[in-house]
Amino acid sequence: MQLSSLPRLRHLSSGNFFLIAGPCAIEGEDMAFEIARHISEVCDDLHIPFIFKGSYRKANRSRIDSFTGIGDEKALGILQKIGEEFQVPVTTDIHTEAEAAMAAQYVDVLQIPAFLCRQTTLLVAAAETGKAVNIKKGQFLSPEAMKFARDKVIDAGNEQVLLTERGVTFGYQDLVVDFRGIPVMQSLGSPVVLDCTHSLQQPNQSSGVTGGRPALISTIARAGIAAGTDGLFIETHPRPSEAKSDGANMLPMDQLRPLLEKLARIREAIR
């Protein structure tokens, strides 16, 4: 995939990594615009290509009473407005074949959740929209096995594929990142993204609410840039403790600029 095929993706000539960032879920228009404005300003200052991310619906939740969204069309409309207002590509998760066609009317990149990365009909439906497809590697898969998920999209006539590493299940309640997976997946021919926030999740907690270790986001991100990842995925929120989804994993928004400044220096050093 050539990142230049994404509409409105700026700073591609900078030689920097690209960033997929935003809140876990769209909680409302004001919150989403606050986050998009901040990230866009930081990325413009640092010449980092930026794709805004926000889930319009959270389908994979531990508990029945967990927040799932504000309404599909309302949230998708907010994503579309953000793309137009800040002139950036936008992405969101999809979970079923019908959602692929619906979400493709509003966003530029369709994201396949890790638990669904082997779902053939979903991958094909996403491919057939003509939108770029970001496949998150399942916590249960090897990097080599992502070839087959990628092939499903390409065989359906769409070569715009991104692959995202988001950690591997380690016991019942932890994840680890094997950085060898970055060059392995790059060898398949698609840009590789490192998800710095979900890689630090602590799932299957007795409370039914996923935990996390956000203090280590900087460690994972720095190691990923040093290992040569093409892009980073970071969920961020101005007040993570108040976030309605995955607050335990997200980077406080005021920490984003200093982190990206460090990462840009590492990228420059290894180029």
Side-chain angles (χ1 to χ4, degrees), residues 20-244:
I20 302 175
C24 178
I26 299 298
E27 301 172 9
E29 185 166 326
D30 291 345
M31 177 276 291
F33 268 70
E34 177 186 359
I35 296 172
R37 181 175 293 104
H38 181 81
I39 304 174
S40 185
E41 289 174 355
V42 172
C43 287
D44 280 342
D45 288 346
L46 299 177
H47 301 103
I48 295 172
F50 166 47
I51 301 168
F52 180 82
K53 179 269 171 185
S55 296
Y56 76 93
R57 185 201 301 171
K58 299 300 295 182
N60 177 29
R61 314 305 296 150
S62 297
R63 292 170 29 168
I64 190 67
D65 59 348
S66 296
F67 173 80
T68 57
I70 60 173
D72 292 353
E73 291 189 4
K74 182 177 180 180
L76 286 167
I78 291 170
L79 284 166
Q80 186 177 51
K81 286 181 183 178
I82 285 172
E84 294 169 351
E85 174 72 18
F86 300 102
Q87 287 297 293
V88 296
V90 294
T91 184
T92 196
D93 310 83
I94 58 169
H95 315 91
T96 67
E97 297 91 304
E99 289 182 42
M102 176 179 67
Q105 299 176 60
Y106 299 89
V107 304
D108 306 293
V109 182
L110 298 175
Q111 181 171 285
I112 308 299
F115 283 120
L116 297 174
C117 69
R118 294 183 61 186
Q119 198 76 8
T120 301
T121 53
L122 178 60
L123 290 166
V124 171
E128 289 177 344
T129 67
K131 299 290 185 175
V133 182
N134 180 22
I135 312 172
K136 300 191 81 172
K137 181 174 75 63
Q139 301 92 318
F140 44 86
L141 282 184
S142 69
E144 292 84 356
M146 286 301 287
K147 173 186 186 303
F148 306 108
R150 178 179 181 271
D151 286 350
K152 290 174 183 179
V153 176
I154 292 174
D155 289 347
N158 187 339
E159 297 191 359
Q160 300 183 88
V161 184
L162 302 164
L163 301 176
T164 294
E165 168 63 52
R166 53 95 74 231
V168 180
T169 298
F170 185 73
Y172 286 119
Q173 295 178 320
D174 207 358
L175 299 169
V176 294
V177 176
D178 181 355
F179 290 95
R180 297 174 299 177
I182 292 172
V184 169
M185 289 195 289
Q186 286 172 329
S187 72
L188 302 176
S190 291
V192 171
V193 182
L194 175 61
D195 184 338
C196 304
T197 41
H198 291 95
S199 293
L200 292 164
Q201 279 185 331
Q202 294 180 309
N204 301 320
Q205 299 297 312
S206 59
S207 65
V209 179
T210 298
R213 304 179 72 185
L216 294 176
I217 290 172
S218 176
T219 301
I220 293 290
R222 284 180 287 150
I225 295 298
T229 189
D230 301 292
L232 295 176
F233 179 110
I234 299 175
E235 288 187 342
T236 186
H237 193 285
R239 297 164 294 279
S241 63
E242 300 175 15
K244 295 183 179 180

